[in-house]
Amino acid sequence: MIFFAATIIIIFYLIFFWNWRKNEQQFYLGGRPIIMGHRGSPTKITENTEPSFEKALDQGVDGVELDIRLTQDKKIVVFHDDNLLRLSGVNIGVKDLAYTEMLTHTLKKEKNQKEKVVAPQLEDLLPVFNKSAVINIEIKSDSLFDSGEIIDYLISFLDNNNLDYKCIVSCFNPLMIWRLRRKRPQTITGLLYTKRVPLHSIYNMIWAMVCRADNLHIHYDFIDSWIVGWAKRKGMRVNSYTINNGTIYKKAIRAKIDGIFTDNIEYIK
């Protein structure tokens, strides 16, 4: 009975009173959420390519969001899917290709797009990063117990470039965030909210505390949910994905969301 009562008290303390140190994030604005181009400007130019990110910046975003994976030869490539089928018509996995082999596959174009594009390496985007006020790098992870090998390569990239003051690293996999936080605590981290589990609000709350994320990145369906208020009371910043129309954007402003990710920049700006 004493053990049960003590357990309840500890849980109550962790949920309502315990806090953890957050990394400083000076890129947030006071009057509105920061706007990040989700994979660049994907309705104008092929997602996750340098011209797409440049287009997003030309459209007036505050920052850019991108996805990373490891190739067979351990290069960090900017690519969302685990294979090339959707974007190039070739059903082969990113992890099964050397980066030079990926370069032989051009990616599909969006309507009216003139640029011929390929998947860049992360380091190829440094000129874009220099122009952007904020960068969100999402680590793609295919399972909860992913090896996390990509983290060491990402840490090397971050160590070699002065981006900590404006770079968020996010992931749906909380163990990735936990590993990164342990190995490189100065990195700003964002736990991506997953709704594909039972009791997902509680699931995400528990993992946010376990990995001690700086931010919670939440689907716009849950902008008004209790976990947003909980995260803010914990001192976390809350960013929302993927907001593609003005109605939801106004809802995010009313909810005092700190940042948004959008595909349709022209409808938000």
Side-chain angles (χ1 to χ4, degrees):
M1 184 65 181
I2 295 176
F3 176 78
F4 177 76
T7 301
I8 295 298
I9 291 171
I10 291 171
I11 293 173
F12 187 85
Y13 169 76
L14 290 174
I15 292 174
F16 295 102
F17 297 102
W18 177 67
N19 213 327
W20 58 93
R21 186 186 67 82
K22 312 295 188 304
N23 285 307
E24 189 174 3
Q25 303 179 67
Q26 295 185 342
F27 43 78
Y28 287 104
L29 306 172
R32 64 166 176 84
I34 56 172
I35 299 174
M36 289 171 273
H38 182 239
R39 309 180 199 170
S41 185
T43 64
K44 302 296 183 182
I45 301 177
T46 311
E47 65 180 56
N48 277 326
T49 62
E50 185 172 2
S52 190
F53 295 119
E54 293 283 2
K55 180 65 175 179
L57 292 173
D58 288 343
Q59 290 177 279
V61 296
D62 302 299
V64 294
E65 185 270 354
L66 56 115
D67 308 287
I68 61 169
R69 292 182 175 276
L70 272 187
T71 59
Q72 187 183 59
D73 54 344
K74 311 307 178 187
K75 304 295 185 182
I76 302 179
V77 65
V78 180
F79 205 78
H80 179 273
D81 300 356
D82 61 0
N83 67 55
L84 276 63
L85 183 61
R86 179 174 64 91
L87 288 182
S88 74
V90 180
N91 191 12
I92 186 169
V94 172
K95 66 181 180 181
D96 299 319
L97 290 170
Y99 181 67
T100 54
E101 294 175 298
M102 283 199 70
L103 290 178
T104 65
H105 299 283
T106 56
L107 306 180
K108 73 169 188 177
K109 296 180 180 180
E110 296 300 322
K111 185 178 179 181
N112 300 322
Q113 176 181 334
K114 296 179 181 179
E115 296 87 349
K116 180 180 178 181
V117 290
V118 294
Q121 290 188 69
L122 186 60
E123 61 189 28
D124 296 333
L125 297 180
L126 283 171
V128 172
F129 296 162
N130 289 335
K131 300 175 188 177
S132 182
V134 57
I135 308 146
N136 189 102
I137 299 173
E138 180 184 341
I139 301 172
K140 302 307 293 184
S141 175
D142 298 323
S143 71
L144 181 63
F145 298 105
D146 191 305
S147 68
E149 184 180 19
I150 193 172
I151 288 177
D152 290 331
Y153 293 94
L154 177 59
I155 286 174
S156 179
F157 172 82
L158 294 173
D159 284 345
N160 291 331
N161 297 282
N162 181 28
L163 298 172
D164 287 326
Y165 68 99
K166 63 177 177 179
C167 181
I168 305 167
V169 178
S170 63
C171 192
F172 279 103
N173 185 342
L175 293 181
M176 287 286 200
I177 299 299
W178 180 83
R179 290 188 186 106
L180 180 59
R181 181 89 176 191
R182 182 172 58 86
K183 291 184 175 183
R184 198 173 189 277
Q186 70 267 35
T187 303
I188 301 167
T189 57
L191 176 64
L192 276 156
Y193 186 104
T194 180
K195 58 181 180 179
R196 296 180 179 179
V197 294
L199 301 173
H200 48 76
S201 291
I202 295 174
Y203 173 93
N204 286 276
M205 178 186 70
I206 291 171
W207 275 118
M209 291 190 291
V210 170
C211 66
R212 293 177 295 148
D214 297 293
N215 299 339
L216 180 66
H217 292 184
I218 195 163
H219 190 274
Y220 65 81
D221 281 344
F222 306 105
I223 285 175
D224 294 327
S225 68
W226 64 265
I227 197 169
V228 169
W230 174 85
K232 285 181 172 292
R233 286 191 296 274
K234 287 293 185 182
M236 303 174 75
R237 295 286 191 167
V238 179
N239 301 316
S240 183
Y241 64 92
T242 304
I243 295 179
N244 286 334
N245 65 63
T247 300
I248 301 175
Y249 179 55
K250 290 175 183 176
K251 183 180 178 182
I253 291 176
R254 290 194 298 271
K256 297 183 179 179
I257 297 299
D258 297 294
I260 71 161
F261 304 98
T262 183
D263 297 323
N264 297 334
I265 298 164
E266 63 272 28
Y267 299 143
I268 302 301
K269 286 299 292 180

